[in-house]
Each structure stands twice: as C-alpha cells, then as structure tokens.
Amino acid sequence: MEERDFLIIRVLLLFLHSETGSIGCTKIAHTLGEEKYTISRVMTLMEKEGLLNKQRSRYPYLTNFGRREAQKYAERIDIIQKHLIYEGLDGETARRDAFYWAVFSSDETLDMIRNMEESYRIRYEFRERKFFSGASLCSKLRDGSYTFPYLIYREQVKNGSNISMANDGFEHPCTLRVENGAGKIFLQAVDMTAESGQTHQKMSGRVNSMKYFDNGQYLLAEKNGGFLTFPADNIQFQNIGSGSGQIIHGTIGLKMTCTVGLKHMPESVAIFTLLI
C-alpha cells in the first residue's frame, strides 16, 4: 500500500467523525500535519475514485461509497483497539497501532479478532451467572458465525481415556451460526479410523447420523452437505473461573452412527463439550 492510500484512509476517517459531515482542505492539513497542497491532491484523487463529492468546493462531503469505506475502517480500528487493550497494551499505543492493523489485516484476520472480541464480551456479559442455556447465550450474541474449540467425551472411561472416537470424526473447531438471536452448531464430518466393537480390527468410516438431547428425548440432527447441525438452544452452559481465567463450558448429549454399521460401532451417548 502506498503512502497516499494511508492518507486517503486518514482523510476518510476525519470526514466520518466530522460533526457537520464536511471539512475543508486547510483544516484537514492542519489536523493531519500535512501540507495543504498534499491534501488538495489527495482530495482530488478521492473525488475521481468516487469517495468524495466536491461540487461545493468549500463544503466537500463523502459519497455513499466513501462513507461505507470510512465506516469499514472505523469498525476495524475499533475492534482491533479493544482487542489490543484487552491483551494488556496501553490505550495510546493501542490507538496508534490499531490503525495500521486495520489497514493491513486481511478479512480473515479481522474475522478472527472479531470472534475473539465477541467471546470476551459474552464472557463478561454472563460473568455473574453460574448456569444458563444456549438459548440465553445466543440471544446475547451478535448475528454471525463463530468458531469455538470443543471435545466429544464418552460416558465411561475406556483404556484410560474418556475421549470419544467421534471426537476424531469431525473438523475442529466447530462453527456456531447465530441469526436473530437463535444459534445452530455446525460439525463437518470427516473420515476416521477406529477399532471395531465386534472384531477389534481397525475400520474406517464417517459419522452419517446424529441425534441431540432435547427435553428428555433425542432428536435427529439435520444434514446439510457435509455438515451435521443441531440447535444450540439446549446446550447447558456453566461459568468456570473468573477474570482472565474465566471459561464458559457448555455440554449436550449426542448419539451418533457411523457408515461401518452398528455392529462395529454401536450407537452410544457422547457428551459434546463446547469451550468459550
């Protein structure tokens, strides 16, 4: 990115935060510590790129496109600044560095930071509640997709471990998609190899059906392409720890079948455990 592109973004933000929506070349130059002729050239370039309307030369203002671009960078800066402060950086350094992170970070990186910030916010939101439902959690989450680590446990310890073989049957992490206050868990099935319950030989297969616990009964989960999905409402959450050591721990009972058949991998109860 060239130096002029940095300057364009800084000018966009000045317009966005202006009380009147308009700001003159002289004031911009003074605020940013730049020469007036430099800002004049930048504003002309912004007009050519459809970011700025200069029909009234003394009262230029952002176009709809310019305002969307300015809001995009303002949101990025806000998210990153909060993240850096939460991680222990002082406010002044966080404000300065957030601008450069906002400019250079990919959309994927911003999504990751946004996911982390929402996790911090939701932990704080529920800090005083020991137990709550997935319905309560999703009602407080902003619409969007979130990725969280999880484990799938078996009910009983076997060979010194209570990790279910189904834990290797899905991609990690899982995805929680929230829309209008309701959430769904998406688990992407993958090939796995495990010991047959009947012959004790290694067999390969894939989870092809799932049931989730709902008020005393197990209901069939949806199949959506390569994903198995179930509502997050019935996940039971518990707060563990406090402050920086706080974890939100959610569990729900699942039953799964595999393509190798029930005689080799019988249907049994597993405990899906989500960590936020």
Side-chain angles (χ1 to χ4, degrees):
M1 180 174 286
E2 297 182 10
E3 186 175 346
R4 70 175 187 182
D5 297 317
F6 281 108
L7 201 48
I8 286 174
I9 295 170
R10 295 175 71 194
V11 173
L12 281 171
L13 293 171
L14 282 182
F15 272 98
L16 182 67
H17 296 131
S18 170
E19 291 184 2
T20 63
S22 179
I23 185 170
C25 181
T26 301
K27 186 174 182 180
I28 293 173
H30 177 75
T31 302
L32 299 182
E34 298 285 347
E35 295 291 342
K36 184 177 177 180
Y37 69 84
T38 301
I39 298 301
S40 179
R41 287 203 300 264
V42 165
M43 291 175 70
T44 298
L45 180 61
M46 291 172 65
E47 183 181 34
K48 290 179 180 178
E49 293 182 356
L51 297 166
L52 193 65
N53 188 314
K54 290 179 58 185
Q55 288 183 348
R56 295 184 298 166
S57 59
R58 294 183 61 185
Y59 302 100
Y61 60 90
L62 294 179
T63 63
N64 290 336
F65 172 56
R67 180 163 290 275
R68 287 195 301 271
E69 286 295 292
Q71 288 171 338
K72 178 184 76 175
Y73 284 106
E75 180 195 11
R76 282 174 161 237
I77 290 169
D78 182 62
I79 290 168
I80 293 168
Q81 182 177 318
K82 288 178 180 176
H83 175 71
L84 294 176
I85 290 173
Y86 183 90
E87 294 295 340
L89 208 59
D90 66 272
E92 183 59 35
T93 305
R95 278 190 293 273
R96 183 185 65 242
D97 290 356
F99 174 79
Y100 294 99
W101 278 43
V103 171
F104 283 111
S105 295
S106 66
D107 289 341
E108 290 78 12
T109 297
L110 259 295
D111 285 343
M112 180 192 70
I113 294 174
R114 191 178 285 108
N115 194 113
M116 293 170 67
E117 281 305 300
E118 189 68 353
S119 297
Y120 298 152
R121 187 189 67 80
I122 212 69
R123 287 203 293 266
Y124 184 81
E125 182 92 20
F126 285 91
R127 69 194 183 282
E128 303 295 338
R129 296 176 63 176
K130 185 67 174 177
F131 301 100
F132 50 94
S133 69
S136 296
L137 178 85
C138 293
S139 71
K140 298 293 186 180
L141 281 169
R142 299 185 180 96
D143 284 4
S145 294
Y146 305 93
T147 55
F148 295 115
Y150 71 93
L151 287 168
I152 301 177
Y153 294 97
R154 61 165 67 98
E155 285 191 301
Q156 304 295 328
V157 174
K158 182 179 178 182
N159 299 325
S161 173
N162 64 341
I163 300 295
S164 169
M165 68 176 68
N167 192 65
D168 294 327
F170 300 98
E171 290 276 0
H172 288 253
C174 69
T175 298
L176 169 62
R177 294 182 186 170
V178 178
E179 185 176 354
N180 297 324
K184 280 188 175 183
I185 297 292
F186 285 72
L187 292 170
Q188 184 171 11
V190 297
D191 291 335
M192 62 175 176
T193 301
E195 186 179 285
S196 164
Q198 184 178 60
T199 66
H200 302 293
Q201 294 180 332
K202 292 288 185 181
M203 300 190 70
S204 294
R206 180 176 288 216
V207 175
N208 63 345
S209 73
M210 175 189 291
K211 297 175 184 177
Y212 61 93
F213 188 75
D214 180 12
N215 295 319
Q217 60 183 328
Y218 281 88
L219 303 180
L220 192 63
E222 296 178 17
K223 293 185 75 171
N224 188 345
F227 292 90
L228 291 164
T229 73
F230 59 89
D233 288 10
N234 295 318
I235 299 177
Q236 298 304 307
F237 285 96
Q238 178 179 356
N239 253 319
I240 299 173
S242 60
S244 60
Q246 180 192 6
I247 295 174
I248 293 178
H249 178 277
T251 58
I252 188 171
L254 299 178
K255 290 184 178 181
M256 287 160 281
T257 61
C258 183
T259 52
V260 297
L262 292 177
K263 70 177 183 179
H264 295 291
M265 294 184 186
E267 182 183 66
S268 59
V269 176
I271 310 300
F272 175 83
T273 304
L274 184 71
L275 301 173
I276 300 176

